[in-house]
Amino acid sequence: MRLPDALRKIFLNYGGFCHSGRLFEFLRRAGALDSPFVSVAFASIPEKTLEKLCGAALSGKTSEYQRVSDRALRRLTEKYDISRDFAVYAAESVSYALGLRDSAPELPPDPFGVEENESGAPAEPQGRSVCHELQSSSMALSWYLTAAAMGDADAEYGIGYMYETGTGVRQDYAEAAAWYRRSAGRGNARAQCVLGLFYSEGQGVRQDYAEALRLWLLSAGQGYPGAQNSIGTMYEMGEGVRQDYAEAMRWYLRAAEQGYPGAQHNIGIMYEYGEGVRKDPAAAAEWYRKAADQGFALAQNALGDLHYFGEGAPRDYLEAAKWYFRSARQGNAYGESCLGFMYLRGFGVRKDTHEALRWYLKSAEQGHAEAEYWTARIYERDYGTPEKLRAAAELCRKAAEQGHERAEIELGDMYLRGRGVALDPAEAVRWYRKAADGGSTRAAGTLAEIYYEGDGVAQDLAEALRWYRRLADSGDVSACHTLGDMYSKGEGTEQDYDEAVAWYRRAALKGWTRSAVRLGDMYLKGDGVPRSPDEAVRWYRRAAGQGNESARMRLGGMYFRGEGAGQNYAEALKWYRQAAEQGNHDAQKIIGDMYCSGLGTPENLNEALKWYGKSGCCSCRPDIELLLGDMYFSGKGVKRDYTRARKWYEAAGRDGIASALYLAGGMYEAGQGMRPDLKTAVSYYLLSAGKGDAAAAYRLGRLYEEGYNWKDQTDGTFESLCHADNWPLVIDKDYDRALGWYLKSALSGSADAGKSLRSLALRIITGILSVTAGR
């Protein structure tokens, strides 16, 4: 009978399996281990139907065989919901096995009925495939065992694979290794390669690099690319052999020449990082692309990275997103996480937080720490509900337990603030410590600040000092400066100026300008060091040259006073100007003074006004203050600003300029830059007139001549009435007072006051005569 020979041929050609009893199946075409799909050759055939088919075949009753075969065909399509093409293939395979066909049928190109959608991603399989039905069937093992008993190496390999993956049997690496060893002993290159991996990783056997290399060399000698790639990895990593990049490249090339994507990807890594070859990102991109085009997810990720960072390939976020997508649709966790990031930031794709979250969740479900961290951040930032905050805390915990630094810090923050978890400063400190022990300077800095400020824990300056020292020892310059502060103040330790100077110097020499300024202050005052203005100038100059505003101010002062350097007003003006241009108001005011006095520069009143105006300072020469008030009031040379104008007028008035008080009073009366306030206006008029200002005396005369009633000055609205408490209720007409103020103004030289005085006197006389005539 031809049946056993046909079965063996099926095993050899396709690496499939059949099982006894009711099912007669074939699973997995050649190369299935390297393929994303597992093809099915035979579908389920009931035992009685199989017997009838065998009987018809042996008796030569072709018509009977066809009738039974058609019935089996219908059963296949109905039971398993597979395509008719595949069912026909299964039936023809049975015919071939029974000797009714001279050649094996061709495997349908798409046994799962899987089609690509418009994006190029595989669509979900329609219905329940035979492969799915049989993958969980432990009965398949019996047919492998039958073939293995006949000495079939492929069957032995298949049994090893079942034990390795736990397909139909309990997963057992030791048993898998035993079957791989039997297959490898018969010269099966694939089994030799896999068994080599077991020895390399110590999986199911004692780790033995020498045995792994022996097996790989046997497999590679048969031209098996997987083994050639593994040998290359061994030499690249120096595992069991002396590290030799040239030898690694030689083996990788042998595998890559056969189109093995793993080797192509590894060659790309060597070019990207310059391992054994000249660093060449462009060459790396070429090799990555070869592997990526074959669907190798790791290479697709690497190619996406190169396009993202613009190394070896043009920076192209769209291209990067495309490769991350191709990796992600295969279920690669890194690709899913990167694609989530692209959607989160809107790089190469539209910005879409929901789509980002979808991909991050896919990656997080596989335990990818980066995806777990970002999913938590999205939950916390964009949702913020108690439920999402708890979920965020749990995801952060999962990522943190994998050693993800930012997740450890984020989890610490959550415990410190009680977000998503119960408030627990001790737990926060534990996670911060874990991150800090892993080398996180941010976590160490947070711990230092917590202990220094007593934020959530008892203040412990000594512990803060310890963490700042640890930060400083790792190269953190700001920590060096803080240590200088703590030693100079005796915080967490005894006061020690020598130690403070040492830390300040260390920070200053690394470019921390605040430390250089602090050193200058210590040398200028003699705090813990011998007083040395010359040394102070040296440190101030160092910081000033790096743009420190305070240092420039101090250096200007040193040259102005001639302290630590020869007195040099021009040099002082230069440093003051640099500080002023950084917005230092004190420097701007000093420059104004120097232009007024002609120190270090020719006297220039207009330039002085400009700098005084920038400073907003109210302590300069009274005449300058008055001019500044006029500039802001009129908007000449500066932007009109009634508030600043009034401030400068008041400053000039306090410094003795009577007219400035009158001008300020006018602004209060008119409500320029504020609500009208006649009480303050009149008080300024009185002060100004008392100092001899004719305009103020004239305005008081007008007020008393005409009288003033607050009701006449409001529009009757609620708002205006609410503000009426700023106004005197009534200024009654008082001609005597009016005449007195007009006279005072006229005597001070006011022509208008003289006219008003004569007019009012005439009105009074006319009124008196009218009253007399009436009697």
Side-chain angles (χ1 to χ4, degrees), residues 3 67 81 93 129 134 170 250 330 380 422-423 462 537 553 559 590 598 604 663-664 696 726 741 743 754 774:
L3 184 59
R67 184 180 64 80
D81 191 25
S93 297
S129 68
L134 297 180
R170 180 179 56 82
R250 188 173 71 84
Q330 297 185 61
E380 187 176 9
L423 183 70
V537 166
M553 273 295 293
Y559 278 107
I590 292 172
N604 188 327
L663 293 170
N726 291 330
W741 285 113
L743 179 60

PDB file of all heavy atoms in Angstrom, residues 3 67 81 93 129 134 170 250 330 380 422-423 462 537 553 559 590 598 604 663-664 696 726 741 743 754 774:
ATOM      1  N   LEU A   3       0.071   4.216   1.227  1.00  0.00           N
ATOM      2  CA  LEU A   3      -0.289   5.183   2.258  1.00  0.00           C
ATOM      3  C   LEU A   3       0.883   5.577   3.168  1.00  0.00           C
ATOM      4  O   LEU A   3       1.143   6.767   3.358  1.00  0.00           O
ATOM      5  CB  LEU A   3      -1.455   4.640   3.090  1.00  0.00           C
ATOM      6  CG  LEU A   3      -2.010   5.577   4.160  1.00  0.00           C
ATOM      7  CD1 LEU A   3      -2.493   6.872   3.517  1.00  0.00           C
ATOM      8  CD2 LEU A   3      -3.162   4.892   4.899  1.00  0.00           C
ATOM      9  N   ARG A  67     -17.714   9.926  -4.681  1.00  0.00           N
ATOM     10  CA  ARG A  67     -18.921  10.223  -3.905  1.00  0.00           C
ATOM     11  C   ARG A  67     -18.578  10.478  -2.439  1.00  0.00           C
ATOM     12  O   ARG A  67     -19.047  11.449  -1.835  1.00  0.00           O
ATOM     13  CB  ARG A  67     -19.892   9.045  -4.030  1.00  0.00           C
ATOM     14  CG  ARG A  67     -21.238   9.268  -3.348  1.00  0.00           C
ATOM     15  CD  ARG A  67     -22.128   8.049  -3.526  1.00  0.00           C
ATOM     16  NE  ARG A  67     -21.551   6.874  -2.866  1.00  0.00           N
ATOM     17  CZ  ARG A  67     -21.649   6.653  -1.534  1.00  0.00           C
ATOM     18  NH1 ARG A  67     -22.249   7.528  -0.759  1.00  0.00           N
ATOM     19  NH2 ARG A  67     -21.127   5.567  -1.025  1.00  0.00           N
ATOM     20  N   ASP A  81     -15.804  26.234   8.218  1.00  0.00           N
ATOM     21  CA  ASP A  81     -16.014  27.542   7.617  1.00  0.00           C
ATOM     22  C   ASP A  81     -14.759  28.014   6.878  1.00  0.00           C
ATOM     23  O   ASP A  81     -14.308  29.146   7.032  1.00  0.00           O
ATOM     24  CB  ASP A  81     -16.417  28.567   8.689  1.00  0.00           C
ATOM     25  CG  ASP A  81     -16.915  29.867   8.068  1.00  0.00           C
ATOM     26  OD1 ASP A  81     -17.385  29.799   6.912  1.00  0.00           O
ATOM     27  OD2 ASP A  81     -16.824  30.915   8.727  1.00  0.00           O
ATOM     28  N   SER A  93      -5.280  16.204  -1.262  1.00  0.00           N
ATOM     29  CA  SER A  93      -4.143  15.699  -0.503  1.00  0.00           C
ATOM     30  C   SER A  93      -4.421  14.288  -0.020  1.00  0.00           C
ATOM     31  O   SER A  93      -3.533  13.417  -0.023  1.00  0.00           O
ATOM     32  CB  SER A  93      -3.850  16.617   0.695  1.00  0.00           C
ATOM     33  OG  SER A  93      -3.474  17.894   0.257  1.00  0.00           O
ATOM     34  N   SER A 129     -10.443  28.913  11.485  1.00  0.00           N
ATOM     35  CA  SER A 129      -9.611  28.148  10.570  1.00  0.00           C
ATOM     36  C   SER A 129      -9.309  26.769  11.118  1.00  0.00           C
ATOM     37  O   SER A 129      -9.384  26.515  12.317  1.00  0.00           O
ATOM     38  CB  SER A 129      -8.292  28.886  10.323  1.00  0.00           C
ATOM     39  OG  SER A 129      -7.527  28.883  11.499  1.00  0.00           O
ATOM     40  N   LEU A 134      -6.755  22.860  15.150  1.00  0.00           N
ATOM     41  CA  LEU A 134      -5.820  21.792  15.441  1.00  0.00           C
ATOM     42  C   LEU A 134      -4.646  22.200  16.309  1.00  0.00           C
ATOM     43  O   LEU A 134      -3.980  21.347  16.870  1.00  0.00           O
ATOM     44  CB  LEU A 134      -5.280  21.215  14.129  1.00  0.00           C
ATOM     45  CG  LEU A 134      -6.335  20.561  13.236  1.00  0.00           C
ATOM     46  CD1 LEU A 134      -5.685  20.029  11.989  1.00  0.00           C
ATOM     47  CD2 LEU A 134      -7.051  19.453  13.985  1.00  0.00           C
ATOM     48  N   ARG A 170       2.111  19.805  27.565  1.00  0.00           N
ATOM     49  CA  ARG A 170       2.616  20.720  28.589  1.00  0.00           C
ATOM     50  C   ARG A 170       4.003  21.206  28.174  1.00  0.00           C
ATOM     51  O   ARG A 170       4.837  20.401  27.754  1.00  0.00           O
ATOM     52  CB  ARG A 170       2.685  20.002  29.935  1.00  0.00           C
ATOM     53  CG  ARG A 170       3.202  20.870  31.080  1.00  0.00           C
ATOM     54  CD  ARG A 170       3.208  20.083  32.384  1.00  0.00           C
ATOM     55  NE  ARG A 170       4.001  18.859  32.255  1.00  0.00           N
ATOM     56  CZ  ARG A 170       5.328  18.838  32.379  1.00  0.00           C
ATOM     57  NH1 ARG A 170       6.000  19.962  32.616  1.00  0.00           N
ATOM     58  NH2 ARG A 170       5.974  17.695  32.257  1.00  0.00           N
ATOM     59  N   ARG A 250      31.697  38.375   9.159  1.00  0.00           N
ATOM     60  CA  ARG A 250      31.846  37.343   8.125  1.00  0.00           C
ATOM     61  C   ARG A 250      30.670  36.373   8.168  1.00  0.00           C
ATOM     62  O   ARG A 250      30.101  36.019   7.124  1.00  0.00           O
ATOM     63  CB  ARG A 250      33.164  36.589   8.330  1.00  0.00           C
ATOM     64  CG  ARG A 250      33.509  35.629   7.204  1.00  0.00           C
ATOM     65  CD  ARG A 250      34.912  35.051   7.405  1.00  0.00           C
ATOM     66  NE  ARG A 250      34.971  34.120   8.518  1.00  0.00           N
ATOM     67  CZ  ARG A 250      34.639  32.826   8.421  1.00  0.00           C
ATOM     68  NH1 ARG A 250      34.249  32.328   7.251  1.00  0.00           N
ATOM     69  NH2 ARG A 250      34.736  32.041   9.462  1.00  0.00           N
ATOM     70  N   GLN A 330       2.458  44.005  13.422  1.00  0.00           N
ATOM     71  CA  GLN A 330       2.863  42.626  13.686  1.00  0.00           C
ATOM     72  C   GLN A 330       2.829  42.308  15.175  1.00  0.00           C
ATOM     73  O   GLN A 330       3.155  41.207  15.592  1.00  0.00           O
ATOM     74  CB  GLN A 330       4.279  42.375  13.164  1.00  0.00           C
ATOM     75  CG  GLN A 330       4.435  42.524  11.666  1.00  0.00           C
ATOM     76  CD  GLN A 330       5.835  42.140  11.224  1.00  0.00           C
ATOM     77  OE1 GLN A 330       6.272  41.012  11.410  1.00  0.00           O
ATOM     78  NE2 GLN A 330       6.552  43.090  10.645  1.00  0.00           N
ATOM     79  N   GLU A 380      -3.411  60.400  33.553  1.00  0.00           N
ATOM     80  CA  GLU A 380      -3.301  61.413  34.600  1.00  0.00           C
ATOM     81  C   GLU A 380      -3.526  62.813  34.049  1.00  0.00           C
ATOM     82  O   GLU A 380      -4.197  63.641  34.664  1.00  0.00           O
ATOM     83  CB  GLU A 380      -1.918  61.319  35.248  1.00  0.00           C
ATOM     84  CG  GLU A 380      -1.755  62.209  36.472  1.00  0.00           C
ATOM     85  CD  GLU A 380      -0.410  62.010  37.146  1.00  0.00           C
ATOM     86  OE1 GLU A 380       0.449  61.308  36.575  1.00  0.00           O
ATOM     87  OE2 GLU A 380      -0.225  62.554  38.242  1.00  0.00           O
ATOM     88  N   ALA A 422      -3.122  56.300  48.005  1.00  0.00           N
ATOM     89  CA  ALA A 422      -3.206  56.967  49.303  1.00  0.00           C
ATOM     90  C   ALA A 422      -1.916  57.743  49.567  1.00  0.00           C
ATOM     91  O   ALA A 422      -0.826  57.305  49.188  1.00  0.00           O
ATOM     92  CB  ALA A 422      -3.425  55.932  50.397  1.00  0.00           C
ATOM     93  N   LEU A 423      -2.056  58.909  50.168  1.00  0.00           N
ATOM     94  CA  LEU A 423      -0.895  59.731  50.492  1.00  0.00           C
ATOM     95  C   LEU A 423       0.066  58.927  51.369  1.00  0.00           C
ATOM     96  O   LEU A 423      -0.315  58.408  52.413  1.00  0.00           O
ATOM     97  CB  LEU A 423      -1.348  60.999  51.227  1.00  0.00           C
ATOM     98  CG  LEU A 423      -0.258  62.018  51.589  1.00  0.00           C
ATOM     99  CD1 LEU A 423       0.269  62.682  50.329  1.00  0.00           C
ATOM    100  CD2 LEU A 423      -0.816  63.073  52.536  1.00  0.00           C
ATOM    101  N   ALA A 462      20.763  67.190  57.382  1.00  0.00           N
ATOM    102  CA  ALA A 462      21.930  66.313  57.219  1.00  0.00           C
ATOM    103  C   ALA A 462      21.693  65.332  56.070  1.00  0.00           C
ATOM    104  O   ALA A 462      22.593  65.066  55.266  1.00  0.00           O
ATOM    105  CB  ALA A 462      22.207  65.565  58.515  1.00  0.00           C
ATOM    106  N   VAL A 537      36.976  91.102  42.303  1.00  0.00           N
ATOM    107  CA  VAL A 537      36.829  91.585  40.929  1.00  0.00           C
ATOM    108  C   VAL A 537      37.077  90.455  39.935  1.00  0.00           C
ATOM    109  O   VAL A 537      36.370  90.326  38.920  1.00  0.00           O
ATOM    110  CB  VAL A 537      37.793  92.768  40.670  1.00  0.00           C
ATOM    111  CG1 VAL A 537      37.893  93.057  39.177  1.00  0.00           C
ATOM    112  CG2 VAL A 537      37.324  94.003  41.417  1.00  0.00           C
ATOM    113  N   MET A 553      26.462  94.172  37.656  1.00  0.00           N
ATOM    114  CA  MET A 553      26.163  95.290  38.564  1.00  0.00           C
ATOM    115  C   MET A 553      27.288  95.482  39.576  1.00  0.00           C
ATOM    116  O   MET A 553      27.749  96.604  39.822  1.00  0.00           O
ATOM    117  CB  MET A 553      24.853  95.013  39.304  1.00  0.00           C
ATOM    118  CG  MET A 553      23.608  95.454  38.582  1.00  0.00           C
ATOM    119  SD  MET A 553      23.508  97.249  38.385  1.00  0.00           S
ATOM    120  CE  MET A 553      23.322  97.784  40.086  1.00  0.00           C
ATOM    121  N   TYR A 559      34.284  99.360  39.813  1.00  0.00           N
ATOM    122  CA  TYR A 559      34.995 100.372  39.019  1.00  0.00           C
ATOM    123  C   TYR A 559      34.540 101.781  39.389  1.00  0.00           C
ATOM    124  O   TYR A 559      35.335 102.729  39.359  1.00  0.00           O
ATOM    125  CB  TYR A 559      34.775 100.119  37.532  1.00  0.00           C
ATOM    126  CG  TYR A 559      35.696  99.049  36.972  1.00  0.00           C
ATOM    127  CD1 TYR A 559      35.217  97.775  36.643  1.00  0.00           C
ATOM    128  CD2 TYR A 559      37.051  99.311  36.772  1.00  0.00           C
ATOM    129  CE1 TYR A 559      36.060  96.799  36.143  1.00  0.00           C
ATOM    130  CE2 TYR A 559      37.893  98.347  36.265  1.00  0.00           C
ATOM    131  CZ  TYR A 559      37.406  97.086  35.958  1.00  0.00           C
ATOM    132  OH  TYR A 559      38.261  96.130  35.462  1.00  0.00           O
ATOM    133  N   ILE A 590      21.210 104.323  37.717  1.00  0.00           N
ATOM    134  CA  ILE A 590      22.594 104.786  37.891  1.00  0.00           C
ATOM    135  C   ILE A 590      23.120 105.383  36.591  1.00  0.00           C
ATOM    136  O   ILE A 590      23.802 106.423  36.597  1.00  0.00           O
ATOM    137  CB  ILE A 590      23.484 103.620  38.369  1.00  0.00           C
ATOM    138  CG1 ILE A 590      23.097 103.208  39.790  1.00  0.00           C
ATOM    139  CG2 ILE A 590      24.961 104.017  38.310  1.00  0.00           C
ATOM    140  CD1 ILE A 590      23.784 101.938  40.274  1.00  0.00           C
ATOM    141  N   GLY A 598      27.621 113.660  34.146  1.00  0.00           N
ATOM    142  CA  GLY A 598      28.752 113.629  33.227  1.00  0.00           C
ATOM    143  C   GLY A 598      29.879 112.754  33.730  1.00  0.00           C
ATOM    144  O   GLY A 598      31.051 113.062  33.501  1.00  0.00           O
ATOM    145  N   ASN A 604      24.505 114.534  29.306  1.00  0.00           N
ATOM    146  CA  ASN A 604      23.495 114.451  28.261  1.00  0.00           C
ATOM    147  C   ASN A 604      22.140 114.242  28.923  1.00  0.00           C
ATOM    148  O   ASN A 604      21.788 113.136  29.327  1.00  0.00           O
ATOM    149  CB  ASN A 604      23.812 113.289  27.308  1.00  0.00           C
ATOM    150  CG  ASN A 604      22.910 113.263  26.089  1.00  0.00           C
ATOM    151  OD1 ASN A 604      21.746 113.643  26.154  1.00  0.00           O
ATOM    152  ND2 ASN A 604      23.460 112.802  24.971  1.00  0.00           N
ATOM    153  N   LEU A 663       0.374 119.978  38.691  1.00  0.00           N
ATOM    154  CA  LEU A 663       0.107 119.081  37.571  1.00  0.00           C
ATOM    155  C   LEU A 663      -0.469 117.746  38.043  1.00  0.00           C
ATOM    156  O   LEU A 663      -1.376 117.187  37.416  1.00  0.00           O
ATOM    157  CB  LEU A 663       1.393 118.846  36.779  1.00  0.00           C
ATOM    158  CG  LEU A 663       1.937 120.083  36.041  1.00  0.00           C
ATOM    159  CD1 LEU A 663       3.330 119.802  35.495  1.00  0.00           C
ATOM    160  CD2 LEU A 663       0.999 120.488  34.914  1.00  0.00           C
ATOM    161  N   ALA A 664       0.051 117.225  39.169  1.00  0.00           N
ATOM    162  CA  ALA A 664      -0.488 115.988  39.726  1.00  0.00           C
ATOM    163  C   ALA A 664      -1.924 116.200  40.169  1.00  0.00           C
ATOM    164  O   ALA A 664      -2.799 115.352  39.936  1.00  0.00           O
ATOM    165  CB  ALA A 664       0.364 115.520  40.897  1.00  0.00           C
ATOM    166  N   ALA A 696      -1.749 126.906  40.503  1.00  0.00           N
ATOM    167  CA  ALA A 696      -2.525 126.219  41.529  1.00  0.00           C
ATOM    168  C   ALA A 696      -3.439 127.203  42.244  1.00  0.00           C
ATOM    169  O   ALA A 696      -4.615 126.908  42.513  1.00  0.00           O
ATOM    170  CB  ALA A 696      -1.589 125.540  42.518  1.00  0.00           C
ATOM    171  N   ASN A 726     -15.103 109.537  46.931  1.00  0.00           N
ATOM    172  CA  ASN A 726     -13.799 110.148  46.665  1.00  0.00           C
ATOM    173  C   ASN A 726     -13.917 111.652  46.400  1.00  0.00           C
ATOM    174  O   ASN A 726     -12.907 112.317  46.216  1.00  0.00           O
ATOM    175  CB  ASN A 726     -13.140 109.489  45.445  1.00  0.00           C
ATOM    176  CG  ASN A 726     -12.731 108.053  45.735  1.00  0.00           C
ATOM    177  OD1 ASN A 726     -12.415 107.743  46.867  1.00  0.00           O
ATOM    178  ND2 ASN A 726     -12.777 107.212  44.717  1.00  0.00           N
ATOM    179  N   TRP A 741      -7.469 133.899  46.427  1.00  0.00           N
ATOM    180  CA  TRP A 741      -6.599 133.032  45.619  1.00  0.00           C
ATOM    181  C   TRP A 741      -6.246 133.694  44.284  1.00  0.00           C
ATOM    182  O   TRP A 741      -5.119 133.560  43.803  1.00  0.00           O
ATOM    183  CB  TRP A 741      -7.257 131.682  45.362  1.00  0.00           C
ATOM    184  CG  TRP A 741      -7.241 130.787  46.583  1.00  0.00           C
ATOM    185  CD1 TRP A 741      -8.303 130.383  47.308  1.00  0.00           C
ATOM    186  CD2 TRP A 741      -6.083 130.250  47.221  1.00  0.00           C
ATOM    187  NE1 TRP A 741      -7.912 129.611  48.360  1.00  0.00           N
ATOM    188  CE2 TRP A 741      -6.522 129.506  48.319  1.00  0.00           C
ATOM    189  CE3 TRP A 741      -4.714 130.333  46.980  1.00  0.00           C
ATOM    190  CZ2 TRP A 741      -5.657 128.856  49.181  1.00  0.00           C
ATOM    191  CZ3 TRP A 741      -3.852 129.673  47.841  1.00  0.00           C
ATOM    192  CH2 TRP A 741      -4.317 128.941  48.922  1.00  0.00           C
ATOM    193  N   LEU A 743      -5.939 136.900  43.863  1.00  0.00           N
ATOM    194  CA  LEU A 743      -4.956 137.927  44.169  1.00  0.00           C
ATOM    195  C   LEU A 743      -3.569 137.308  44.336  1.00  0.00           C
ATOM    196  O   LEU A 743      -2.573 137.847  43.829  1.00  0.00           O
ATOM    197  CB  LEU A 743      -5.370 138.651  45.453  1.00  0.00           C
ATOM    198  CG  LEU A 743      -4.413 139.761  45.931  1.00  0.00           C
ATOM    199  CD1 LEU A 743      -4.259 140.858  44.874  1.00  0.00           C
ATOM    200  CD2 LEU A 743      -4.892 140.348  47.252  1.00  0.00           C
ATOM    201  N   GLY A 754      -5.282 137.886  37.108  1.00  0.00           N
ATOM    202  CA  GLY A 754      -5.591 139.322  37.198  1.00  0.00           C
ATOM    203  C   GLY A 754      -6.919 139.621  36.530  1.00  0.00           C
ATOM    204  O   GLY A 754      -7.737 140.378  37.062  1.00  0.00           O
ATOM    205  N   GLY A 774     -32.136 148.628  45.000  1.00  0.00           N
ATOM    206  CA  GLY A 774     -33.414 147.969  45.270  1.00  0.00           C
ATOM    207  C   GLY A 774     -34.014 148.420  46.575  1.00  0.00           C
ATOM    208  O   GLY A 774     -35.240 148.387  46.757  1.00  0.00           O
TER     209      GLY A 774
END
